[in-house]
Amino acid sequence: MSEIDPTDHALATIASILEHPEPVLVVRETETVTVTEIVVAGEHGVADEHPMVDEHPVVEEQPLVPEHADADGYSKVGPGPMVAIRLKWTVHRGDDGQFYVHETIGEQSVPVVSGPMTGEAAVHFVDAHEDEAHRRFEELRSEIAGRSSLADYERKGEA
């Protein structure tokens, strides 16, 4: 029986979570008011108001990650099994009121700064770079997995 690297299981779990996030549901109760008008012959309209509470609550979907109200401090981390080579993007507000994205590799690297830009543009920049990093990581992981299965195939003498 071959030995399986635990990192592969961790990466597969992370990938499946990112591919199929479960929505968070928030239940809010609503109130419905109905107005019934009864008109009796010879009288002007008499209104009879009966508030009724709807028995069915309204369910709204909300994203797993709440929208960031202010771009300052917005941050995302790229994929990878090792912290030393993992990418991180963080938005900072400069003294001039503009926003700058600091991109680091690992915890001890000097950031590469992109900017100035608006807060919305900085958040979009971070999201786009994080999406691209995940796409490239999955592509590389698939390529490595394909090569390792080909090597296993060759080792067994089936090639």
Side-chain angles (χ1 to χ4, degrees):
M1 189 169 202
S2 66
E3 207 173 301
I4 298 174
D5 185 10
T7 305
D8 291 338
H9 287 293
L11 291 173
T13 302
I14 292 169
S16 68
I17 290 169
L18 293 174
E19 289 173 1
H20 308 288
E22 294 182 21
V24 177
L25 300 178
V26 176
V27 178
R28 294 186 184 157
E29 291 189 25
T30 61
E31 190 174 294
T32 305
V33 178
T34 57
V35 177
T36 306
E37 187 173 310
I38 301 173
V39 178
V40 178
E43 293 182 16
H44 296 359
V46 177
D48 184 19
E49 294 183 17
H50 298 286
M52 295 177 58
V53 176
D54 191 2
E55 295 296 325
H56 304 285
V58 175
V59 178
E60 293 181 15
E61 275 193 37
Q62 290 186 347
L64 290 175
V65 180
E67 293 296 320
H68 205 63
D70 186 21
D72 191 25
Y74 184 78
S75 179
K76 290 215 174 170
V77 178
M82 297 171 38
V83 174
I85 60 171
R86 198 169 295 144
L87 294 166
K88 181 176 182 180
W89 301 271
T90 307
V91 177
H92 295 285
R93 184 189 305 262
D95 294 337
D96 59 356
Q98 294 290 320
F99 292 90
Y100 298 86
V101 177
H102 292 213
E103 182 176 15
T104 57
I105 300 174
E107 296 176 342
Q108 303 299 322
S109 69
V110 175
V112 173
V113 181
S114 300
M117 57 186 90
T118 64
E120 185 177 310
V123 169
H124 178 70
F125 181 92
V126 169
D127 290 342
H129 279 74
E130 189 244 358
D131 288 344
E132 176 66 13
H134 278 285
R135 186 193 64 75
R136 291 178 69 187
F137 179 75
E138 287 302 317
E139 195 174 273
L140 179 62
R141 192 169 69 92
S142 295
E143 184 179 327
I144 290 170
R147 286 185 181 174
S148 67
S149 63
L150 180 61
D152 289 342
Y153 184 74
E154 288 176 354
R155 265 188 249 130
K156 292 178 183 176
E158 297 172 1

